[in-house]
Every structure is written in structure tokens, then in C-alpha cells.
Amino acid sequence: MTDALVLDRLRQAPQVARWIVRTLEEQGFETWAVGGAVRDVALGLPAEDWDFATRARPGDVQRLFRRTVAVGADHGTIGVLAKDRRLYEVTTFRRDVKPLGRRAIVEFADTLDEDLARRDFTFNALAWHPFREELVDPFNGLADLAGGVLRTVGDPEERFREDRLRALRGLRFAARFRLTATSETWAALVASVPQLGALSAERVREELMKSLADGERPSGALALYAASGVLAELFPELARLLDAPVAGGAVTRWERALLVADALSANGPLLRLSGLLAEVVESAGARDCVQMMVRLRFSGAETERATHWAESQPGVPPAGAGGSALRRWLAGVEPEARPGALRLALARARADRLLSGVDSGPAVSSVRALRREARTRPPLSIAELAIDGRDVMRLGLKPGPRVGEVLRALLDSVLEEPERNERERLLAEATTLIRTGAET
Ligand code: ATP
Ligand code: MG
């Protein structure tokens, strides 16, 4: 990675980056593109969010741009809404003021160097100036990236103490860029793990989800969570998978969970998380799964969805199951959750196929059969029956729980044989059910 190559890549930065820097510099405020976007583009990767560091104070930024959002005005960040309708964060240079042995307090600074020195890892302390075509890399972050090294800016113990989140960020970056921590950085990171409980649930959750969202191989960060002790400290429900064997196998549930997470690489982080939670459900029960998600303050909707996906897995019918077993499984999954539940089942079946010695897991062929069955769009709910509650009451049943019972019995019959879902046939069946008053 030569500087010339890196500068060449950075030249592809969006025009808005130039517009933001120009607008501020025309008023005399030195401004740089900094952080993750510079790092990613230098590596030849697409950049997500461009961030800027400037000598301008938040008030100046708000004055100079027409449309701004006070994202974090108290710590110097103003969001600038650009022509491309995206929000770019412009943050006043900051520096850490360190009362002895205490957490750093941030205050505004005058120089880029001070600002870069407070960033967490060497490769995150990069700045690029789009007009001067200058790259500032005071801690040799590019060399660390090229050499596969994770290293904090400054004393690692101090840096992990100032902000506990950095330990989790470090593991995520190590996995994403396939880096190995220096022995000092690793020792300090591991030593900081017992203090991670001080982090807010929101920050832990966001980091977990970012790690799970990372590229092709979420297992990288998860394996580092396990190796560093983060898993046991923050996610005990998952840590219990480390030595839980998969039935009939020499493989642990954790090993299978990692394969499943990777197999779901084309999917969102929530489904990948469900890949881990399915193992929790099978070994400890759904309560552990809900407990973990509630503790991490996932939304109610996310908790419900991820738990539902996970809970659907133990019941996946075995290979060779008949149509009615397939339909009964499909009917037990919320319609909107079905595509995810099927993808999860397929990922788990593929993981089992890869792992030798697992004899009780889901089979690829049964997931394919479920897919085929779903494509025939069989009726799977009471709402899809050819008759409804009013029809049942017209047959002489008073409103009450019995109506629902009859409808459930009809659905059961239709799940057995979808051809029965015809109005006349169901009316006849309902009449018989009502007359005989049969227990359903
Ligand atoms: P990504 O957005 O890909 O997760 P990033 O490096 O861009 O990675 P952000 O959280 O967007 O991460 O932060 C932008 C920059 O701010 C980082 O590159 C880093 O320089 C700095 N930064 C972020 N969080 C911290 C932190 N906890 N301690 C020190 N510096 C940080
Ligand atoms: Mg970023």
C-alpha cells in the first residue's frame, strides 16, 4: 500500500467531501476528512460515512451550512445535510484532558494532531485533505493495516480504561481487517474485560450488531469475543454454548453457531443473531434467549422476531417428512417471519452437513421440501380458510369460544389436506362438527 496508491483511491471521494471542506476553509477554518471512511477507502473498500474534523466551532458550522442537525452539539458534532440528502458529521477538533487516573474529559482543540491523538486505533487516526492531497498518518496506521496489526494510539491500558467500548471496537476491527493485536494491546484488552459491565446496554448491543453485520464472516469477531472473555462477561447465555455439545456429535453448539452465522452472511444481523439464539433455545430454552435480548434492550419487536425465528428451529421436520408435517411447521411460523425462518433452517442444515458427526440436526433436503411446499401457497391460517366465523354462526352456532374451536378444527383438517379448503366442503364439515358437538 503505497501513499500514491492510497491518495489515488482517496481521490474517488464523493464531491460532497470537497464541498464541505471548501465551504469551511473559505472562511478560514482548517478542515479534514477523518476516521473510518479514510481508512476504508485507503484499503480499497467502499466508504460508508464520511466524517470531518474542523477547527470551526459548532456555531460556525451551523452558520455556514444551510441545513444542519445538532447531532451532538455538546461534543462538537454538527450534521450537515448535503445535496445527496445524506448527513455528514462535522466535528470540531477535540483533545482529551486527563485528570490523573480518571476517565478523559474532552474539550475543543486547535490542531488536527491533538484530534488524531485521541482516536482509538492507529488506523482510525488518519486524516485526508482533498485539496492539498495530503494524508496524515501520525501513528503509522496504514503500515499496521498492511502488516495486520491492531494497536491502540498510545498506552493501551489507559486507552481501554478511558472508554470501555474500545475493547469491543478493537475486536470488531481485528476481525474485519484480519488483524492480530500486539501483545501489549491484547493484554490490556483482556485485562479490561472484567470492567465491561460498566458499558450501557445500548452501546454493547450496537457493537454486537455491528460485529454481526460485518461482511462475510461474523464468526471472526464472535471467536474473538470468546477468546478474550468478552462472551462470558457480557453474553453469558452465549458463553454457555462454548462447552455444550450438539446431540450425537463431537462438535459444540458454539462451533455450529459460528458456522450458521457465516452461512447467513447475505442476511441482516438480527437473523445472524437468531442463528446463535437457536442454539440457546435448544440447549437452555427460549427464556434465556428473551432474557439476553431484554437485558441488551433490543426493541420488543426485535426480541419477538429473533426469538420466534430461533424457536421455530427445533421443530423443523426431519428429512422425508410428509406434506402435512411441512404445512404444520409453516403454519406455526408468523407469515412475515417465514422467509427468515427458512433461511435460518437452511443455514443450520448446511452447517450440519459440514460438521461430521452430527446426526440429529436439520437436513438440507427437508428445508428444500419446506420451500417447495410454501411455494404452492397452501392455506396455513384460519384467515385463509374458505369460510369464516360468520359462516359458522349461520350454521346455528352462537357467538362464543366454540366458533373458534370449530375454525381451528377446520384448519387442522385443511392442513392435513389442502384440497378440503372449499366453501361447500368446509360448510359440510362444520355442520358435522356442530351436530356431533365433537370434542375438537
Ligand atoms: P465503522 O463506522 O466502520 O464502524 P469507524 O471507525 O468509522 O468504523 P465510528 O464509530 O464511525 O467508527 O467513528 C469514527 C471515528 O471516530 C473512528 O474512526 C475513530 O477515529 C473515532 N472514534 C470512534 N469511536 C471512538 C472511541 N470510542 N474512542 C476513540 N476514538 C473513537
Ligand atoms: Mg464510521
Side-chain angles (χ1 to χ4, degrees):
M1 212 159 34
T2 64
D3 276 14
L5 170 66
V6 168
L7 284 171
D8 202 47
R9 285 176 173 162
L10 283 163
R11 230 167 265 140
Q12 322 292 319
Q15 279 305 320
V16 261
R18 292 190 169 76
W19 167 69
I20 287 172
V21 172
R22 188 179 349 104
T23 306
L24 285 157
E25 295 215 330
E26 275 172 1
Q27 301 299 313
F29 300 115
E30 179 189 356
T31 303
W32 296 75
V34 287
V38 178
R39 172 199 69 212
D40 290 349
V41 172
L43 281 169
L45 303 169
E48 287 291 316
D49 312 299
W50 285 85
D51 297 322
F52 301 86
T54 182
R55 199 197 298 266
R57 296 298 163 99
D60 300 321
V61 180
Q62 281 169 316
R63 186 164 48 79
L64 290 173
F65 293 94
R66 212 150 54 87
R67 291 187 297 173
T68 60
V69 182
V71 194
D74 47 332
H75 54 262
T77 304
I78 299 295
V80 171
L81 201 60
K83 274 204 299 273
D84 61 3
R85 298 164 115 203
R86 296 182 62 144
L87 200 67
Y88 292 85
E89 292 193 353
V90 179
T91 305
T92 303
F93 291 152
R94 291 173 295 180
R95 71 160 158 245
D96 286 346
V97 199
K98 287 168 197 158
L100 211 65
R102 301 261 305 279
R103 278 175 57 166
I105 299 168
V106 178
E107 65 175 32
F108 294 145
D110 293 319
T111 65
L112 175 70
D113 285 346
E114 289 172 287
D115 188 80
L116 294 179
R118 62 169 290 280
R119 291 171 185 269
D120 47 7
F121 298 98
T122 56
F123 45 78
N124 282 343
L126 299 172
W128 173 64
H129 198 284
F131 296 110
R132 298 215 288 275
E133 300 227 345
E134 207 179 313
L135 187 75
V136 182
D137 177 12
F139 307 99
N140 299 314
L142 289 178
D144 278 349
L145 282 179
V149 178
L150 179 84
R151 194 195 316 263
T152 55
V153 168
D155 175 46
E157 267 182 53
E158 199 175 310
R159 302 316 306 281
F160 289 129
R161 185 168 60 238
E162 288 165 0
D163 181 354
R164 299 291 175 198
L165 194 72
R166 289 176 188 153
L168 301 184
R169 286 172 56 85
L171 299 177
R172 173 159 60 91
F173 293 126
R176 191 198 301 177
F177 304 123
R178 299 187 188 239
L179 312 174
T180 307
T182 64
S183 52
E184 293 80 19
T185 291
W186 182 256
L189 191 156
V190 171
S192 82
V193 167
Q195 312 304 324
L196 295 184
L199 284 168
S200 74
E202 286 76 8
R203 294 182 90 195
V204 171
R205 181 193 65 229
E206 275 175 26
E207 261 308 319
L208 172 70
M209 294 310 264
K210 278 188 184 179
S211 286
L212 285 171
D214 248 11
E216 310 276 284
R217 227 178 38 109
S219 64
L222 293 169
L224 289 173
Y225 273 18
S228 59
V230 162
L231 203 66
E233 186 65 31
L234 294 178
F235 313 101
E237 297 85 356
L238 298 178
R240 275 177 225 129
L241 302 174
L242 285 168
D243 46 28
V246 176
V251 174
T252 66
R253 289 196 172 273
W254 179 248
E255 289 169 304
R256 180 163 73 175
L258 295 195
L259 279 177
V260 170
D262 286 352
L264 289 167
S265 66
N267 300 276
L270 196 64
L271 191 63
R272 293 175 176 193
L273 178 62
S274 291
L276 313 181
L277 295 176
E279 302 290 347
V280 174
V281 165
E282 281 181 353
S283 55
R287 244 186 60 195
D288 269 35
C289 158
V290 174
Q291 171 189 298
M292 181 177 120
M293 292 193 76
V294 168
R295 188 182 62 247
L296 293 171
R297 295 185 202 263
F298 278 91
S299 72
E302 285 172 319
T303 304
E304 243 168 70
R305 176 54 55 89
T307 308
H308 187 53
W309 274 331
E311 278 188 295
S312 70
Q313 298 304 306
V316 170
S324 114
L326 300 175
R327 287 186 293 277
R328 283 177 197 283
W329 183 84
L330 291 168
V333 181
E334 303 282 341
E336 322 80 63
R338 270 176 215 145
L342 283 166
R343 281 199 289 273
L344 179 51
L346 189 62
R348 301 186 84 229
R350 290 206 170 122
D352 275 354
R353 197 167 57 181
L354 277 172
L355 294 166
S356 52
V358 174
D359 56 18
S360 62
V364 173
S365 63
S366 61
V367 183
R368 298 233 163 92
L370 283 169
R371 282 241 161 95
R372 273 196 304 278
E373 188 62 33
R375 271 201 294 273
T376 69
R377 304 200 162 276
L380 296 172
S381 64
I382 286 177
E384 292 163 277
L385 291 177
I387 69 172
D388 61 16
R390 272 170 316 199
D391 295 314
V392 172
M393 288 185 282
R394 258 185 238 119
L395 295 173
L397 212 57
K398 288 201 193 71
R402 185 74 188 124
V403 178
E405 279 170 31
V406 169
L407 288 170
R408 274 194 294 281
L410 294 176
L411 175 63
D412 195 68
S413 160
V414 164
L415 285 172
E416 207 51 44
E417 239 181 78
E419 302 73 47
R420 291 183 191 152
N421 195 28
E422 280 170 4
R423 197 174 160 75
E424 293 310 317
R425 243 179 116 156
L426 291 188
L427 286 173
E429 225 176 292
T431 308
T432 316
L433 281 164
I434 293 166
R435 277 220 198 99
T436 58
E439 284 301 306
T440 51

